[in-house]
Amino acid sequence: MAATESAENYLESILVLSKEKPVVRSVDVSNHTGFKKSSISIAMKNLKADGYITISPEGYIFLTDSGMQIASMIYERHQVLSAWFIRLGVDEKTAVEDACRIEHDISEESFEAIKKYITLHE
């Protein structure tokens, strides 16, 4: 099942938080995204039902293999596109916002072409 843009953002947030914290909880996702805890609770239930995360009895959130695959893909796109826009002279705030919008819609072919172009012109 293909993840929605919203699901991709939550999965990416969980990945980013897992790099910063020993464990990730719903409250961490709420603080990171700025969404209400009730909204996060619903989103986590949906991600769990779709097989993208598991939640321990203590409330710790872990990405499954399929969740990690999506989160890693979106995170890489975000990192590469943000950095590229900044190198092109776009201010950081705009670069990050634009990368966040584009990362969900760009095709794999176009993204790989951009990565190749960047590598060749470093």
Side-chain angles (χ1 to χ4, degrees):
M1 174 186 286
T4 64
E5 181 175 332
S6 176
E8 290 175 350
N9 281 333
Y10 285 123
L11 294 170
E12 181 185 20
S13 293
I14 294 166
L15 176 62
V16 169
L17 288 166
S18 71
K19 293 175 182 285
E20 300 169 358
K21 299 178 169 287
V23 293
V24 178
R25 299 166 300 143
S26 290
V27 66
D28 300 318
V29 178
S30 177
N31 292 336
H32 185 260
T33 62
F35 295 127
K36 293 179 185 178
K37 291 176 192 170
S38 58
S39 298
I40 298 301
S41 178
I42 292 167
M44 295 305 109
K45 286 179 186 175
N46 292 335
L47 291 174
K48 183 179 177 186
D50 290 340
Y52 296 128
I53 64 169
T54 59
I55 303 174
S56 74
E58 300 81 17
Y60 303 150
I61 301 167
F62 300 97
L63 294 167
T64 63
D65 289 343
S66 61
M68 179 61 84
Q69 184 178 8
I70 292 168
S72 297
M73 175 192 68
I74 295 299
Y75 183 71
E76 178 190 26
R77 289 177 176 194
H78 184 87
Q79 295 297 108
V80 169
L81 292 170
S82 294
W84 188 43
F85 293 151
I86 291 167
R87 284 180 48 205
L88 292 173
V90 177
D91 73 271
E92 184 175 357
K93 182 178 184 295
T94 302
V96 169
E97 290 170 356
D98 287 347
C100 193
R101 285 191 289 275
I102 293 169
E103 68 195 20
H104 302 284
D105 295 322
I106 191 169
S107 69
E108 185 65 27
E109 179 182 1
S110 293
F111 181 68
E112 290 301 320
I114 289 170
K115 282 191 347 185
K116 183 177 178 181
Y117 178 86
I118 292 170
T119 303
L120 291 173
H121 294 89
E122 286 187 310

